[in-house]
Amino acid sequence: MKNLYCAIDLGGTKINIGIMTKDGEVLDNIKIPTEVEKGPENALNNIKNTIYELLNRLNLKKEDLKGIGIGSPGPLDSERGVIIESANLKGWKNVEVVKALSEDFKDIPIKLENDGNAAALGEYLFGFGKNSRNFIYITVSTGVGGGAIIDGKLQRGANSNAFEVGHTIISINGPKCNCGNNGCLEAFASGTAIERIAEEKLLQGNESLISQIKGEGKLKAEHVFEAAKKGDKLALEIVENEGYYLGIGLFNIIALYNPEKISIGGGVSNCLDMFYDKMISTINSMSLKPSREICEIKKAQREDCGLVGAGALAFYE
Ligand SMILES: [Zn+2]
């Protein structure tokens, strides 16, 4: 009998499945494609088979697992263990994830949680959030999401959908967001927003290295950062803009939660050093000095916080 946990980080393109200890050490993990279009049943079967493969590779038995935790895009119902629907899992409706897994893994506690909350828990327990009581994780990639731990407790809200920070509105007349509203933080500061802004500027006839770097393909946020590194004026402006809007988003979080630490993860955070100063100076230009001054803001330390946080759901109360 070993005290191990199975962690499942379910995403729109891939699923990362691992076996981990209570200290956040991942003993082994396998990534498989989600194949959203083949439906949830196919994905759930692949998840089960991968868990068996991992147990096999590690020479473990089912009984060595003390719990299974799943982080998934929402909205979902964590009480019932059901993914209600998701923009990232097109066509999946009312998927009974916990019930499906418990057919194979009877008597093992199985928890389902919003992926932003799971990642926040992972970074809180095993990353930059360690030794704090009030911690915020935000992820900036295709979208903007995250989670909050306040007084040592994960903030789930009434039905597990708390902390939709990407859809807090920072300018009522701002650009249209994927969610249907206007001016959400996500519409200003996500990787997708960086791409949209760059495309608009290029269409207006602005000269920029971005066009050469992207070539014939689709414009990506990475292209903008690459051009900025080479000193391209337009790219530098867009990156500065990223720091400004993220700074406003973070100020709102600081005003609401008074956290000791905030960490920033997701693809865009790989270039955090390029807009960190603008982000911090934006925050520092605002009010609420005591809350601002106590808050430390850094890049996330655990790139796999989505995975280890999912596993931690199984033992964290
Ligand atoms: Zn939105």
Side-chain angles (χ1 to χ4, degrees):
M1 291 283 267
K2 299 190 173 111
N3 286 322
L4 296 172
Y5 297 87
C6 176
I8 303 168
D9 182 12
L10 170 61
T13 50
K14 61 178 176 7
I15 308 168
N16 192 2
I17 303 160
I19 306 283
M20 61 179 268
T21 67
K22 216 171 180 171
D23 302 322
E25 187 198 345
V26 179
L27 302 181
D28 197 359
N29 71 302
I30 297 175
K31 287 178 188 169
I32 57 171
T34 313
E35 301 176 313
V36 173
E37 67 290 349
K38 291 189 183 169
E41 209 170 306
N42 173 69
L44 287 165
N45 278 330
N46 290 341
I47 289 172
K48 286 181 194 174
N49 291 336
T50 307
I51 299 174
Y52 287 124
E53 192 182 337
L54 283 166
L55 290 175
N56 210 10
R57 270 164 43 162
L58 291 164
N59 215 356
L60 297 169
K61 296 189 295 287
K62 259 195 219 181
E63 296 72 47
D64 294 319
L65 293 180
K66 290 286 153 296
I68 299 176
I70 309 135
S72 160
L76 47 80
D77 184 333
S78 60
E79 289 276 301
R80 287 167 48 233
V82 174
I83 300 172
I84 297 166
E85 62 177 340
S86 167
N88 295 324
L89 303 168
K90 273 210 168 60
W92 293 25
K93 283 233 159 77
N94 297 313
V95 183
E96 296 182 301
V97 180
V98 170
K99 192 176 164 209
L101 290 177
S102 60
E103 283 165 7
D104 276 56
F105 300 93
K106 291 187 189 79
D107 308 321
I108 300 176
I110 305 177
K111 295 270 173 66
L112 173 74
E113 185 64 61
N114 178 296
D115 51 3
N117 286 349
L121 187 60
E123 181 71 7
Y124 172 66
L125 293 174
F126 312 120
F128 179 54
K130 258 191 273 181
N131 305 319
S132 68
R133 295 277 298 160
N134 298 285
F135 171 75
I136 303 288
Y137 170 77
I138 92 160
T139 170
V140 186
S141 56
T142 325
V144 175
I149 283 100
I150 300 301
D151 287 329
K153 275 195 84 73
L154 179 64
Q155 304 296 296
R156 294 187 164 92
N159 56 4
S160 307
N161 298 304
F163 206 77
E164 282 289 358
V165 64
H167 303 290
T168 55
I169 294 167
I170 59 172
S171 170
I172 197 76
N173 296 317
K176 193 101 180 156
C177 178
N178 265 335
C179 72
N181 290 339
N182 283 83
C184 296
L185 177 60
E186 182 165 306
F188 282 104
S190 62
T192 317
I194 293 174
E195 291 160 9
R196 190 201 67 239
I197 295 164
E199 263 161 7
E200 283 168 6
K201 297 276 181 190
L202 291 178
L203 276 175
Q204 287 163 12
N206 287 280
E207 284 291 316
S208 167
L209 274 177
I210 301 169
S211 323
Q212 289 163 37
I213 292 169
K214 90 169 178 75
E216 291 301 303
K218 191 185 169 297
L219 196 157
K220 294 210 164 119
E222 294 102 274
H223 301 146
V224 177
F225 286 111
E226 204 183 320
K229 275 181 198 151
K230 293 183 170 146
D232 180 75
K233 191 168 161 277
L234 175 65
L236 283 167
E237 241 171 64
I238 297 171
V239 171
E240 186 89 344
N241 192 51
E242 174 69 14
Y244 175 70
Y245 285 111
L246 210 51
I248 293 176
L250 292 185
F251 174 78
N252 288 339
I253 293 171
I254 291 169
L256 278 172
Y257 290 101
N258 186 200
E260 296 142 65
K261 292 180 175 183
I262 298 179
S263 72
I264 304 174
V268 171
S269 74
N270 291 327
C271 296
L272 181 63
D273 55 337
M274 296 177 72
F275 54 86
Y276 185 83
D277 289 349
K278 180 66 186 179
M279 187 181 84
I280 297 295
S281 68
T282 303
I283 296 169
N284 285 344
S285 69
M286 303 216 185
S287 62
L288 306 182
K289 198 172 174 206
S291 296
R292 283 195 277 108
E293 281 187 344
I294 203 163
C295 184
E296 238 187 306
I297 304 173
K298 278 197 179 154
K299 181 170 162 21
Q301 286 173 358
R302 286 292 296 245
E303 237 173 79
D304 62 350
C305 60
L307 181 71
V308 290
L313 292 168
F315 58 81
Y316 180 82
E317 279 313 309

